[in-house]
Each structure stands twice: as C-alpha cells, then as structure tokens.
Amino acid sequence: MRARPGRRLLPARTGGGLPGRLAALICAAAMAVGLLLAIGHFGAGLDEGLRAWRDRLHPRAASGRNVLVEIDERSIVALHRWPWPRSLHGRAVTALRALGARTIAFDVDFSSPSDAGEDAAFAAAIARPGAPVVLPTLRQQVSQSAGTLVESLPIPVLRAHALLASVNISGGANGFVTSYPYGVTIARAPRPSVGALLAGAGGRSGVEFPIDGAIEPASIPHISFVDLLRGRVPRDRIAGRNVLIGATAIELGDRYPMARFGFLPGATIQLLASESLIGGSSPTNRGSLPPLLLLAPALLLAARGRGWRRNLGFGLAGAGLFLAPLALEVAKLGTVEVAPALAALLVAVTCSAIASALLAIREARLVDADTQLPNDRALASALRRDQPGRTLVAVKIDGFGEVVAVLGHEAAAGLVRRVAQRLQLAAAGAIYRIEPGVLAWTGTIAGDADTIEAAAAMLAKPVQLEDRRLELTVGFGVAPAERGGRAAIGNATMAARGALARNLRWLRYDEAQLEASDWRLRLAEELDQAMATGAIWVAYQPKLDLRTRSVRAAEALVRWRHPNRGDLPPDAFIPALEELGRIADLTLHVMTRALRDQHALDRAGHPIDVAVNLSANLLDDAAFLSALEQLIAEERATPSRLTLEVTETMALLDSDRALAALNRLHGLGVHISIDDYGTGQSTLSYLKRLPAREVKVDKSFVLELDRSRSDQAMVRSTVALAHELGFEVVAEGIENEASLELLASYGCDMAQGFHISRPVPLPQLVAFLGRDRSVAA
Ligand code: G
Ligand code: G
Ligand code: MN
C-alpha cells in the first residue's frame, strides 16, 4: 500500500486572484478606454471640477502688484449715471499718475464715440506724460453667420497715445474659464492680453496658459472708482503698481464662471490670469498621458492581487490620482488631467470585480457542495487536459441511496468524505465525487491494479459514522480516459456498477460493456421466443390462511427454462428486462397465464386468489396500466381476486405518479400488496399513504424466526402495528412448523414458504389443493 498521509484533498484554489493573462487583458482594455477619453478630451469637465477642488486645498494670495479699480455699485450710485462721461476716466488717469501708478489699464469698452468734448477730454488726459495707459481691444465675429474675426479697437482719438491689449475671455469644456491667452493675433497683428501685459510676460500670441485657481480673488487689492476720484486713496496703495479699471457692478454684466468661484467679473479674471504669470504659478498642463501611463503598472499589480490586496491596490491607485496632481500643483510643478486615468481605473475595477465573481462562480461549479470534493465537471475538464495512456477509476458505494434515506443527506456526505480520505491514501492526485455514491480518480493502465487493491484494503474496515459502524460494499470500474471526459466518467461508472452486480472487485469498461451488451442483446431477442414456446412459464406458491388453515391464494412466480443456460432465476433476467424496457411484456405474459390458470383452478373446484409481482417502475408506464386494464377485461377476471405485489422501493415511495398508478389500480378493484416489507426504508405508517391491503414481511425476517429472538420481536410488532393500520399481513419464507405456529400465535393472517409448498407448476398446485382440501375437510 502506498500511503501518503497529509496530502490535501482538493487542488489549490485560486481564491479570487485573477490569472495573469486575464489581468493583463483587463488592464489593456482599461488603458484603451483611458486613451480614447484622453484623445477625445472627454472628461475635461471632470478635470476642471477636480482642479477646483484641489485649488481650494492650497489657496494663495495675489502678489499685490496689480490693483483693481472697481466700477462698482457704489461708484455708479455716487456718480448718478452710466455710462460715465469719458472725462471721468481722464480724471482717473490723472489721479492714478499722481499717485505713482506704473501702468493704467482699462477693461471698459471705448470702441464707439461718445460726446466729442468728453472723448477729447479723455484723450487729452491719456496724451499727457506719465504712466502708460492701456486700452482694451475685443475680438469678435463680423456677424453671427460669418466666421471672420475682427478686432474692435478704441476710437482713434483715444488710442492715439495709448497701448492696446486684448481683453477676450473664453470658456472651456463646461463653459468654465480655465485658461487665458498670452495674446491674440487678428489679421496677422499680434496683440498681448491685458493679463500678460500687466505681468510683463512675453506674449506667445495664440497660446493659452491655465489660470491658477488657487489664487484668492479677494486677495487682489481693490479700490472703488469713486474713492479714487474723490482723492480718498492713499498713495502707498497705488505707487509702483499696475492698475486695472473695470466693472464689478453686477448690473454691468461682464461676468464669467470659474469652476471654483462661480461668476467673477471679467476684470477680476484678467487680474487672476496676470497673477498666475507673476507668481510663476500658472501650472504647465502636462495633459492626461502621464497619469495614464503611471497607472498602467499599478492596475496590473492590483488586478492580479486577491481579495483585500486588490481593493487596497485599486484604492491606492485612486488616491494617487487625487493626490499626485495636488502635490504637483502645490510644488508649482504643473498640473495633469486625471479624468481619463480615473475612467481607466473605473473600468479596471469593474471588470476585475466582474471577472473574479464569474471565476468564483465557475470555481463553485467545479466543487461538490456537500463534500467540498471536486465534482464530475472538474473531472471532465481535468480529463480534457490529460495525456493519453491515462485511465479513470471509479468506485461505487453499494446502496448509497439507502444510506442517504436512512442517515440523511449530511451524514451521507460525511461518509463520502471519509471514503475519499481513505482513497486518498491509496490513489495519487485528486479524488472526485462524480455521482452521489461514486468517487473517482485518474490513474494509469499499469498502476490501476495495485491502486485498486490498496483502495479496496482501505475501504475494507467499517466506517464509523456518528454511532453507527457501516460496512461498505464497493465496486471499482476502470475506463480509458482518452475518449473524452464525459464518456470516460460514464464508462468507468458503468464498469463499477457492473463489478458490483457481478460481485467482482473491479471491472474494466470494455469487458463490462462487451459482456453486458452481448448478454442483454441476446436476452431481448430470446424473450419473445421464450414466451411463445413456453420456455418462460409460471410457478405457483400457495398462501396459507393461518386462521382457516386453508390455501386462500397463490403467488405467480415466473420461471425461465433456458435451452443453453438451464433454469434462470428471476434475478438473472428481470433487472435486465427492466433496463431494456421489456418488463411490461413479461409481466403481461405472466398475468395472462395467471388469470387463465385461475379460471382453470375455479373449474377444478379451487377458487383461490392469485398474486402477480409487479416491478415498481411499471407504475410509471401509462401504456402498461392500460394494457393491464384491458387484459383484466379480456380475460373476464374478477379484479378483487387479483393481488399485485409491489416491492417497497424508493421509487415507490418518492413518486407521485406511482401513487397515482396504485390508486388507479385500486380503483379497478385490484388488491395491492407491499412485497419484501422490511428490506427498504419505509415505515408502516408511511406505507399507509398507499392504497395497499396487504403487507408481506420479507423472508429474511422469517427464515430463522424460530431461532431468532430479534426476528420474533420484529415480526410480532410488525403484525400488531400492521393490523392497527388496517393491513393484512403475509409472512413468506416459512421453512418449518415452529415458525408457522409462532406466526399463527402472532395473529399473522397468511403464510407462504417451502414448509407449506415450494413454487410449483399448475398441475402440482391443483394436486396440492386437492390434498389440502381433504386435510381441511
Ligand atoms: O422465487 P423466486 O426466485 O421466483 O423469486 C425471485 C424474485 O423474482 C422475487 O422477488 C419475485 O418477486 C420476483 N419475480 C418473480 N416473478 C416475477 C414477475 O413475473 N415479475 C416481476 N417483476 N418479478 C417477479
Ligand atoms: O416476490 P417475493 O420476493 O415475495 O418472492 C418470493 C421469493 O421467495 C421467491 O423467490 C420464492 O422462491 C422465495 N421463497 C418462498 N418461500 C420460501 C422459503 O420458505 N424459503 C426460501 N428460502 N425462499 C422462499
Ligand atoms: Mn412477491
């Protein structure tokens, strides 16, 4: 014996980690989605939102080098009207120069003329020496339909002594302002933006830079226009600084949305842009590829991890996508767009969750839930991978169905686990549970004989299960494995069944099949002929009424005098005919014989009942039941004088159709008898569900009745309980007078056995009945 203790029963399970190739595939798909989003700039809105969120985490103050002069609500109220006469702007310029401003810029539209005197006054102020004045230009379309852009400039008289700068602001993906141009080029003329000009930044015209959303708008120094005019602004607030004059009053419009702040006045945004350049904090946008590429290996690692490792991996990757841009921005190293990477992460998380759920389901499909042993599906797929020369060995536990019925599902599974553990000591590799009562493993042609001997030795000792010791009977079957998993499983199981049926330790599939199919084919061919020639005939065994001591009935028992094989016992052909579907023919044949013989007995002056045996599986056969009804009519039989003996089997107990069939027969007036009572699992009270009149105590309890106290106890109590439930009781297998008298003392109704008469041909029965009559008389 080759004992290898301590080996595991189950092949290692993957426990939820994805195989490398699948993980790689998922990551590739996630990357593809990310790249598509990156190329299409989808998710820009999300990135704006994320950046606004990050900006909020590290706010910074403006440089103070730019001052906003607000045309605010208070100024408009104080100066009584709007638009203001342009001489007021001239006075502002003069005042600011007097306070030492460096540059004076306007974000006010001067593109159309107003009162000529006012325009002249403003122009004169601009023209005076001092800090330069910057006037705004606006790029616009010629009309809604025409695509041509034109630049609207301040009127000539104003712009004669002024610098010009563009004040265009445009929204991004979501309409939010996120970036700002260094300058614009209209009709090949480059023009700096006000923001760039005030920051003193060289204008790469047409290029935009991101506005640093971390700068707090409120930190930009600001004064009210009216305070400036009225001389209420101290010099130190203006001296050496740039000034932008623009509208902040809500009624003047000119407001744009920013993701972090909501609507801001255009002038404020111009200054935020300028501050971004001054602080060197306009982050270089490094795009969405860097985060995507850095994410790829992290995803691959995480997807291959199992359980919490995977969750942690994905979680860290996600956190990285939120925090890394923040770190970059705080360190003024630029910014990145993470929306495509986030989408890729989402795809990877979702796909790997789905994939591992599907894998878990597939894994569960490969395991027998009751025993945790790998099941027939696992074996079939293992065999697909196996090389030629392998065999499959199956071991069938005899009567496993009854173990389940008696001990219950749980205990039966426990038994199978015990058996598997013992087999594991003999067989290499995994032990599979391929049917409830059949285990299997893969072997080799050369090694199987030894392995099976070892396995049989392991199973020879009884199995202790709870408080019972179970003696196991097993049969081994061997089949070549290369014909494919399913076929091999079926073949090995069939061979194991064949081994049990022939009382052999083991059987190879080919032998099992050849012998079985050969014999079965001949049997099927011979049946019709045997019925026609009388080789199949019927013997009768009397049933003695223990009260009247006269024969009340006889059981018909089929006999086959085979030309080559001699007398075949019913066990040798009835199970085969059942499997071949020919048992109905045989039964109708026996029934016909019995009913005709009953008429003969009547004529001979012995009007006894007859009993015929019925395979339980015929109760599922509607055609048979109809044929039976027809036969009873044709033979002019009296149904109440016919008893059908049905063996107590699981099939009989489980099937509603069987119950329906019995009820139908009962309806015809035929008596039903439960045969071989005590060998199955049912209780009398359960049998009470059936429309049976009679219970036949199996001969195994009767043969040694006179010697066995336990048999006596069993039979006596059975008779008592059966009577209580309204059954008549027949005992079969009475081989001596002592048993007969014991049964009579128990009140048993009828007796059958060799002591009374063996099963005999009709003429002998007639002779027996004649003697019996004379005895009784
Ligand atoms: O004594 P004997 O060896 O004849 O009986 C063996 C078994 O064969 C018994 O269990 C009996 O019920 C069964 N048997 C005998 N005749 C028939 C028959 O005609 N039909 C069926 N189904 N079983 C039968
Ligand atoms: O259908 P059932 O299982 O009841 O069939 C009765 C079987 O019992 C038949 O095989 C019959 O030959 C057998 N039998 C009947 N009486 C006796 C007996 O006294 N002793 C033995 N050993 N067998 C009997
Ligand atoms: Mn019987």
Side-chain angles (χ1 to χ4, degrees):
M1 195 184 313
R2 298 164 296 163
R4 299 183 187 100
R7 224 144 22 85
R8 51 194 308 152
L9 281 177
L10 277 169
R13 302 179 64 181
T14 56
L18 298 182
R21 279 173 59 189
L22 186 56
L25 189 72
I26 287 174
C27 291
M31 282 299 128
V33 169
L35 283 174
L36 279 179
L37 294 187
I39 291 167
H41 284 288
F42 298 108
L46 175 62
D47 263 313
E48 284 168 17
L50 286 173
R51 246 189 79 195
W53 168 80
R54 293 191 301 263
D55 289 339
R56 227 166 254 144
L57 296 179
H58 60 108
R60 49 170 149 254
S63 68
R65 282 165 56 186
N66 293 324
V67 178
L68 177 62
V69 173
E70 295 183 68
I71 299 173
D72 54 0
E73 200 60 42
R74 196 154 69 82
S75 304
I76 290 171
V77 170
L79 299 170
H80 302 302
R81 57 180 170 134
W82 181 261
W84 290 329
R86 285 185 178 159
S87 59
L88 287 187
H89 295 301
R91 282 172 56 195
V93 167
T94 308
L96 286 167
R97 280 177 177 153
L99 290 172
R102 258 167 65 101
T103 312
I104 302 158
F106 280 88
D107 186 6
V108 178
D109 181 18
F110 300 121
S111 59
S112 43
S114 68
D115 175 84
E118 292 292 328
D119 287 346
F122 186 21
I126 293 171
R128 276 194 283 276
V133 171
V134 182
L135 297 183
T137 73
L138 258 174
R139 185 176 49 163
Q140 342 187 276
Q141 286 178 342
V142 176
S143 71
Q144 279 288 341
S145 50
T148 332
L149 291 171
V150 294
E151 192 177 31
S152 57
L153 303 175
I155 54 175
V157 61
L158 293 182
R159 69 178 187 250
H161 298 281
L163 301 173
L164 297 181
S166 107
V167 293
N168 278 91
I169 291 174
S170 52
N174 276 358
F176 291 122
V177 178
T178 57
S179 62
Y180 184 83
Y182 285 99
V184 295
T185 304
I186 307 287
R188 295 213 200 88
R191 180 85 67 206
S193 60
V194 159
L197 186 129
L198 293 184
R204 281 162 290 162
S205 182
V207 175
E208 302 221 331
F209 60 88
I211 297 174
D212 183 0
I215 299 168
E216 294 287 345
S219 70
I220 298 172
H222 48 99
I223 56 181
S224 194
F225 192 95
V226 65
D227 289 343
L228 177 67
L229 284 197
R230 297 190 176 158
R232 292 192 209 128
V233 177
R235 182 179 169 82
D236 63 333
R237 294 198 61 184
I238 299 296
R241 301 173 206 262
N242 298 319
V243 176
L244 178 66
I245 300 167
T248 59
I250 288 175
E251 71 217 61
L252 300 185
D254 191 31
R255 291 177 159 256
Y256 303 86
M258 283 190 72
R260 183 182 158 198
F261 306 112
F263 281 87
L264 286 181
T268 305
I269 294 179
Q270 311 281 355
L271 288 184
L272 285 177
S274 186
E275 289 293 334
S276 302
L277 292 178
I278 292 167
S281 63
S282 162
T284 321
N285 189 345
R286 302 178 191 283
S288 52
L289 281 183
L292 205 51
L293 295 180
L294 283 175
L295 182 69
L299 286 190
L300 201 57
L301 270 178
R304 295 195 57 173
R306 66 187 63 168
W308 64 271
R309 282 163 197 264
R310 178 169 64 220
N311 296 341
L312 183 68
F314 284 140
L316 286 178
L321 290 180
F322 283 97
L323 298 180
L326 180 64
L328 282 181
E329 285 160 10
V330 170
K332 298 193 177 180
L333 292 174
T335 185
V336 285
E337 291 169 3
V338 292
L342 280 174
L345 176 63
L346 192 69
V347 169
V349 168
T350 315
C351 289
S352 34
I354 292 172
S356 65
L358 290 178
L359 274 185
I361 290 172
R362 207 178 73 175
E363 219 162 76
R365 270 173 44 84
L366 298 179
V367 174
D368 173 62
D370 294 330
T371 58
Q372 295 303 309
L373 292 170
N375 61 15
D376 55 327
R377 279 187 287 262
L379 178 56
S381 71
L383 288 177
R384 259 203 304 279
R385 291 193 301 269
D386 252 349
Q387 308 90 23
R390 303 286 291 173
T391 58
L392 181 63
V393 185
V395 49
K396 181 173 166 61
I397 303 169
D398 198 23
F400 185 75
E402 288 175 8
V403 173
V404 176
V406 174
L407 301 184
H409 207 71
E410 289 276 298
L415 172 67
V416 171
R417 272 196 299 273
R418 297 289 186 76
V419 170
Q421 277 159 6
R422 291 193 185 179
L423 291 175
Q424 191 72 79
L425 299 175
I431 304 292
Y432 299 83
R433 188 188 197 189
I434 57 178
E435 274 183 25
V438 183
L439 297 174
W441 67 87
T442 58
T444 58
I445 294 169
D448 283 343
D450 286 348
T451 316
I452 289 173
E453 283 311 314
M458 300 302 319
L459 299 182
K461 283 163 251 146
V463 178
Q464 185 74 34
L465 205 64
E466 285 157 19
D467 53 345
R468 297 167 196 256
R469 280 164 72 81
L470 295 178
E471 299 263 1
L472 297 182
T473 309
V474 296
F476 295 84
V478 182
E482 66 254 29
R483 279 181 225 177
R486 279 288 153 200
I489 291 170
N491 293 343
T493 309
M494 180 182 167
R497 195 168 281 132
L500 275 179
R502 286 168 185 71
N503 225 341
L504 297 171
R505 174 154 289 167
W506 62 297
L507 206 57
R508 281 196 187 281
Y509 166 69
D510 26 13
E511 298 162 21
Q513 196 213 22
L514 282 180
E515 208 178 297
S517 65
D518 192 43
W519 154 238
R520 285 155 137 245
L521 279 178
R522 261 186 289 132
L523 184 73
E525 276 167 26
E526 287 169 358
L527 178 67
D528 293 312
Q529 205 195 350
M531 289 193 297
T533 59
I536 289 179
W537 60 278
V538 178
Y540 294 95
Q541 188 176 32
K543 288 172 155 178
L544 183 75
D545 186 318
L546 283 175
R547 253 177 305 110
T548 64
R549 299 288 167 141
S550 63
V551 173
R552 207 211 291 173
E555 177 178 7
L557 293 159
V558 71
R559 295 291 178 260
W560 189 337
R561 172 145 296 171
H562 195 276
N564 313 326
R565 293 175 174 245
D567 287 342
L568 294 177
D571 309 339
F573 58 92
I574 284 176
L577 291 177
E578 284 175 348
E579 280 182 40
L580 286 168
R582 298 297 309 275
I583 191 67
D585 297 335
L586 178 78
T587 305
L588 290 170
H589 179 77
V590 171
M591 188 86 66
T592 310
R593 201 60 264 153
L595 293 179
R596 289 183 187 167
D597 288 346
Q598 189 175 38
H599 284 305
L601 286 166
D602 288 350
R603 284 194 297 275
H606 305 295
I608 57 168
D609 293 357
V610 290
V612 174
N613 291 288
L614 205 64
S615 298
N617 57 8
L618 284 178
L619 295 175
D620 254 358
D621 184 340
F624 168 78
L625 293 175
S626 306
L628 183 60
E629 285 178 21
Q630 201 182 329
L631 180 68
I632 289 171
E634 275 171 12
E635 296 298 329
R636 289 172 288 102
T638 311
S640 63
R641 292 180 58 204
L642 175 62
T643 298
L644 297 178
E645 297 189 5
V646 186
T647 299
E648 172 215 349
T649 61
M650 296 308 292
L652 182 66
L653 299 177
D654 280 354
S655 153
D656 286 342
R657 283 176 65 179
L659 181 61
L662 288 179
N663 280 326
R664 181 170 159 189
L665 292 171
H666 180 68
L668 283 177
V670 171
H671 294 303
I672 308 293
S673 170
I674 304 300
D675 211 350
D676 303 337
Y677 174 72
T679 57
Q681 309 306 335
S682 51
T683 60
L684 274 177
S685 51
Y686 188 85
L687 292 180
K688 201 53 205 152
R689 275 180 11 127
L690 308 178
R693 179 169 86 158
E694 180 182 284
V695 169
K696 281 184 85 172
V697 178
D698 189 68
K699 56 179 169 284
S700 57
F701 301 98
V702 179
L703 289 173
E704 295 171 12
L705 187 68
D706 54 327
R707 276 163 286 158
S708 162
R709 295 212 147 256
S710 61
D711 285 349
Q712 289 167 14
M714 188 279 180
V715 174
R716 191 173 46 225
S717 59
T718 301
V719 170
L721 182 58
H723 280 163
E724 217 160 283
L725 293 171
F727 291 115
E728 287 203 325
V729 185
V730 182
E732 65 179 10
I734 292 130
E735 296 196 342
N736 53 55
E737 185 66 21
S739 299
L740 186 78
E741 291 312 327
L742 274 174
L743 287 163
S745 75
Y746 300 157
C748 181
D749 300 285
M750 280 193 278
Q752 183 182 346
F754 293 173
H755 179 65
I756 299 157
S757 166
R758 290 188 170 261
V760 292
L762 181 70
Q764 271 174 258
L765 177 69
V766 174
F768 177 83
L769 290 174
R771 259 186 286 140
D772 178 58
R773 202 25 77 79
S774 65
V775 169

